[in-house]
């Protein structure tokens, strides 16, 4: 078993970005600038946004964190997004999900100018991805693609099973793995809550991407020996022995599955850090697109 170490690979990518940003500045070009919007006091969301802002700072990317109370009216958020859309200094905009119930996620995603949509959630970017054209790829599947690339995992002709059909992870991941080109050319099965014989599908897979958000769901008896296993899950599970009061659990039963695998991501330290590296890549790309 070998580790797909997202911390290490993510650091290498972030260092590349740092050098590219430094090069831009030495050429008198614009410094990339990300605006991150956080609403309310969800502990996990605050941690993720904090990590994104810190990673920007380390890579030389400017970031502005806008933190609002959970009773922020939807129209106020939409107006804020509009002003960021029109602000030439802002290259990328992200609104951390999930949102409070009274704010429509789709209205917010549609409001972000596609050329600043570094999360790749806008239908324009999702449509470009579907067609294999350049655009912003959502950070989690993009990060997984970069991780497979970093470790030179052969994907062509392989059976890939993606578990979970979210717009953020599962669906775009299935498109990336099936498209022609590097880290693609897989035969992809996209499984979900209504899939019959899910274990049977997973057992046939050379590459498994688990993105359903159920701790320890993927068990050893579902895994084909030698598989590559990517664990996107990162659920907070109460654990009074931990200082924080919780531990982070992946969707894969790592203890029992890892001995069977050729490659596996740990949780934490697998997909999470790659998501951040991918966001930084998208933010730099958004800035580069404005160069004349
Ligand atoms: N919530 C969970 N994942 C993500 C992500 O990649 N981007 C944003 N904005 N919110 C999220």
């Amino acid at each position: 078993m070998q580790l797909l170490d997202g911390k290490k690979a993510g650091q290498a990518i972030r260092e590349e970005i740092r050098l590219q940003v430094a090069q831009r500045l030495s050429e008198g070009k614009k410094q990339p600038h990300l605006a991150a919007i956080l609403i309310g006091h969800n502990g996990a969301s605050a941690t993720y946004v904090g990590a994104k802002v810190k990673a920007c700072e380390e890579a030389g990317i400017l970031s502005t964190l806008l933190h609002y109370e959970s009773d922020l009216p939807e129209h106020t958020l939409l107006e804020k997004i509009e002003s960021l859309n029109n602000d030439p200094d802002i290259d990328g905009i992200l609104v951390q999900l999930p949102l409070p119930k009274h704010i429509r996620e789709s209205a917010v995603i549609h409001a972000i100018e596609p050329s600043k949509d570094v999360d790749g959630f806008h239908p324009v970017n999702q449509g470009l991805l579907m067609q294999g054209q350049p655009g912003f790829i959502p950070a989690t599947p993009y990060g997984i693609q970069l991780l497979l690339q970093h470790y030179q995992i052969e994907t062509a002709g392989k059976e890939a099973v993606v578990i979970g059909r979210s717009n953020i992870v599962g669906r775009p991941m299935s498109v990336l793995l099936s498209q022609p080109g590097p880290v693609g050319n897989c035969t992809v099965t996209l499984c979900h809550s209504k899939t019959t014989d899910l274990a049977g599908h997973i057992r046939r897979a050379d590459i498994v991407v688990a993105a359903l958000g159920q701790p320890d769901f993927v068990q050893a008896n579902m895994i084909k020996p030698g598989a590559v296993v990517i664990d996107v899950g990162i659920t907070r599970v109460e654990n009074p022995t931990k200082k924080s009061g919780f531990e982070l659990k992946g969707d894969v039963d790592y203890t029992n599955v890892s001995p069977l695998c050729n490659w596996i991501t740990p949780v934490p330290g697998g997909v999470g850090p790659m998501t951040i590296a991918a966001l930084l890549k998208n933010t730099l790309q958004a800035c580069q697109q404005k160069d004349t």
Side-chain angles (χ1 to χ4, degrees):
M1 182 275 285
Q2 296 167 89
L3 213 56
L4 291 165
D5 187 337
K7 220 172 150 185
K8 229 191 231 171
Q11 250 158 20
I13 292 167
R14 282 160 56 178
E15 179 58 14
E16 274 170 32
I17 296 168
R18 192 184 68 77
L19 293 173
Q20 283 175 275
V21 172
Q23 177 71 23
R24 288 184 64 78
L25 297 184
S26 74
E27 290 168 1
K29 290 181 178 158
K30 182 185 179 305
Q31 187 172 16
H33 190 168
L34 173 75
I37 300 181
L38 173 64
I39 301 158
H41 299 276
N42 177 317
S45 290
T47 303
Y48 298 146
V49 172
K52 290 171 184 179
V53 166
K54 182 163 172 272
C56 279
E57 193 180 301
E58 285 168 7
I61 294 174
L62 290 171
S63 64
T64 298
L65 172 58
L66 302 163
H67 191 180
Y68 300 106
E69 286 302 322
S70 39
D71 60 357
L72 180 79
E74 182 187 278
H75 71 88
T76 310
L77 176 60
L78 296 177
E79 282 158 21
K80 188 65 218 169
I81 291 170
E82 189 54 24
S83 81
L84 294 169
N85 284 342
N86 294 325
D87 181 345
D89 194 56
I90 297 294
D91 303 298
I93 303 168
L94 83 78
V95 180
Q96 189 65 26
L97 306 179
L99 294 167
K101 281 202 179 64
H102 67 281
I103 300 178
R104 292 165 301 155
E105 192 175 291
S106 66
V108 170
I109 288 169
H110 280 74
I112 298 171
E113 158 63 35
S115 65
K116 296 191 178 189
D117 169 38
V118 287
D119 257 331
F121 294 168
H122 192 283
V124 165
N125 284 310
Q126 300 227 323
L128 290 168
L129 177 65
M130 278 290 297
Q131 297 193 341
Q133 293 182 48
F136 293 113
I137 305 170
T140 302
Y142 188 19
I144 293 169
Q145 189 185 47
L146 293 169
L147 187 62
L148 293 171
Q149 210 162 30
H150 183 88
Y151 284 96
Q152 299 183 325
I153 305 295
E154 182 57 73
T155 56
K158 303 284 193 225
E159 292 283 338
V161 163
V162 178
I163 316 164
R165 56 182 159 184
S166 72
N167 285 335
I168 295 181
V169 185
R171 236 161 336 165
M173 190 76 246
S174 70
V175 173
L176 286 175
L177 286 169
S178 64
Q179 77 186 6
V183 204
N185 286 316
C186 290
T187 303
V188 180
T189 306
L190 181 54
C191 296
H192 46 77
S193 54
K194 298 289 188 288
T195 297
T196 52
D197 192 20
L198 180 55
H201 285 290
I202 301 171
R203 233 174 259 128
R204 280 191 293 278
D206 304 303
I207 299 170
V208 179
V209 180
L212 68 160
Q214 281 190 42
D216 289 341
F217 181 87
V218 176
Q219 294 286 314
N221 63 5
M222 302 175 181
I223 291 293
K224 174 168 152 180
V228 176
V229 175
I230 311 287
D231 191 348
V232 182
I234 187 149
T235 307
R236 287 182 170 200
V237 176
E238 268 185 47
N239 183 338
T241 69
K242 301 275 174 188
K243 212 168 102 191
S244 59
F246 64 83
E247 65 179 316
L248 297 172
K249 280 247 171 221
D251 290 347
V252 177
D253 174 7
Y254 185 88
T255 309
N256 295 308
V257 167
S258 57
L260 296 170
C261 300
N262 244 349
W263 294 92
I264 187 166
T265 58
V267 175
V271 172
M274 294 309 295
T275 299
I276 293 185
L279 172 71
L280 298 193
K281 267 182 97 77
N282 278 346
T283 305
L284 175 57
Q285 180 187 319
C287 185
Q288 286 167 335
Q289 279 168 2
K290 289 192 196 155
D291 292 344
T292 45

